[in-house]
Amino acid sequence: MANSFFLLLREDLDDTLYPGGTGIGPALKRNIDEFLVARFGLAADRAAALRVELFRSHGSTLAGLIALGHDVHPDEYHSYVHGRLPYDKIAADPRLAALLQSIPQRKILFTNSDRAHMKRALERLGVDEACFDGVVCFETMNPHLFGEVNGDDDAVADRTVVVLKPSVDAIVAGLRAAGTNPRRTLFLDDSERNIAAGKALGLRTALVGKRARSKEADYALESIGSLRRAIPEIWGGVAVDAELQPDHNVEKNKSMRADLDSVIQPTSIQA
């Protein structure tokens, strides 16, 4: 793997670059509920139920609101739900910064979050954004939601589309940013849904925050800190723990695509 590429993907950064125990996740849910109450006058219990419903049906609350025709700008939404997060609970992690700096392959940070949230989280962690060779975030995947459209019918239709992991569009955006093909890309994520989507496109996959691999994961890491032990090939080493080696014999790995151009046509989360 010494000459392969390394693609780091994570939705909202929780449980991969920093542990979920920080309280950021629960705070985010509360902020979304409060946004729905303030913006649409919903009762608190109805707001909580709607958040869950939209996440299940559209991948995120914002994607669901836009798909249903509500005039909610991403900046308005993100400034409310992310702007009030307790970032002070994220502790600096010098070991993480050193680990990321030591990885010789290209690294792409891929998140469904907006750029402002990503930057604040990295700053709290003490991780320099410059250690990544590229960033794919909400704005990168959804320029059409920020007025960057051509004015034709397709562009207008795209205004009801929100591209997020685990959609094919989103992962293809990450692959293009990495400048590589799926077979030479390692995909880390704590979401089994995202891992399954990555595997369907031929990526090598590592499920973070779990002791056991899911069906579509080649590796399982309890934390990002165990990356060197789990996959020493990144640094030119050899895996010595059979439990951590990828499963090359499963049928699903026999049909990996060789090139980005060979993946199926992108589809999006849309109304």
Side-chain angles (χ1 to χ4, degrees):
M1 191 179 292
N3 295 320
S4 65
F5 288 82
F6 180 86
L7 180 62
L8 180 62
L9 307 180
R10 172 59 185 115
E11 181 175 354
D12 293 336
L13 305 174
D14 294 317
D15 300 325
T16 296
L17 291 190
Y18 58 83
T22 57
I24 295 293
L28 179 63
K29 292 178 181 179
R30 288 194 300 271
N31 290 351
I32 294 173
D33 292 350
E34 291 176 5
F35 176 82
L36 294 173
V37 169
R39 186 68 159 73
F40 300 101
L42 301 178
D45 57 344
R46 174 54 186 149
L50 180 60
R51 168 177 51 79
V52 173
E53 177 185 331
L54 293 178
F55 177 81
R56 289 176 177 171
S57 61
H58 294 86
S60 79
T61 303
L62 176 61
L65 291 173
I66 292 175
L68 294 174
H70 294 290
D71 185 19
V72 178
H73 193 277
D75 288 344
E76 173 193 7
Y77 178 84
H78 288 138
S79 65
Y80 194 108
V81 304
H82 287 159
R84 304 180 180 201
L85 290 175
Y87 290 102
D88 60 309
K89 293 186 177 181
I90 300 176
D93 190 342
R95 290 185 179 181
L96 171 64
L99 175 70
L100 292 173
Q101 289 285 2
S102 74
I103 294 170
Q105 291 84 3
R106 286 171 52 81
K107 299 177 291 294
I108 307 298
L109 179 59
F110 190 0
T111 174
N112 280 347
S113 297
D114 61 293
R115 181 172 291 276
H117 171 68
M118 177 206 72
K119 283 181 172 292
R120 293 191 67 179
L122 290 179
E123 287 172 0
R124 291 295 305 174
L125 285 167
V127 173
D128 188 349
E129 184 182 339
C131 82
F132 296 100
D133 297 280
V135 169
V136 177
C137 59
F138 185 90
E139 290 88 344
T140 310
M141 295 183 284
N142 297 280
H144 54 284
L145 298 179
F146 297 88
E148 298 180 26
V149 296
N150 297 322
D152 56 24
D153 291 340
D154 289 340
V156 172
D158 282 348
R159 291 172 185 168
T160 62
V161 177
V162 177
V163 178
L164 298 169
K165 291 184 289 176
S167 76
V168 175
D169 277 11
I171 295 177
V172 167
L175 288 168
R176 287 176 175 161
T180 186
N181 66 57
R183 289 194 304 177
R184 301 187 64 214
T185 303
L186 178 65
F187 176 23
L188 279 79
D189 202 293
D190 79 318
S191 165
E192 293 188 18
R193 279 198 318 167
N194 295 344
I195 288 293
K199 176 55 66 180
L201 292 182
L203 287 81
R204 297 186 70 182
T205 54
L207 182 62
V208 180
K210 304 292 190 299
R211 293 187 177 184
R213 294 193 299 255
S214 64
K215 180 180 178 182
E216 294 84 4
D218 296 309
Y219 303 91
L221 313 178
E222 289 190 52
S223 72
I224 189 69
S226 62
L227 183 63
R228 186 184 290 271
R229 181 175 68 89
I231 318 178
E233 305 98 300
I234 292 173
W235 293 268
V238 178
V240 296
D241 189 341
E243 291 294 322
L244 297 172
Q245 293 186 31
D247 183 357
H248 293 298
N249 297 319
V250 292
E251 186 66 27
K252 66 181 183 301
N253 285 338
K254 293 182 179 179
S255 61
M256 285 186 177
R257 282 80 162 174
D259 301 297
L260 178 58
D261 290 341
S262 69
V263 301
I264 60 177
Q265 289 298 314
T267 57
S268 303
I269 300 171
Q270 57 185 324

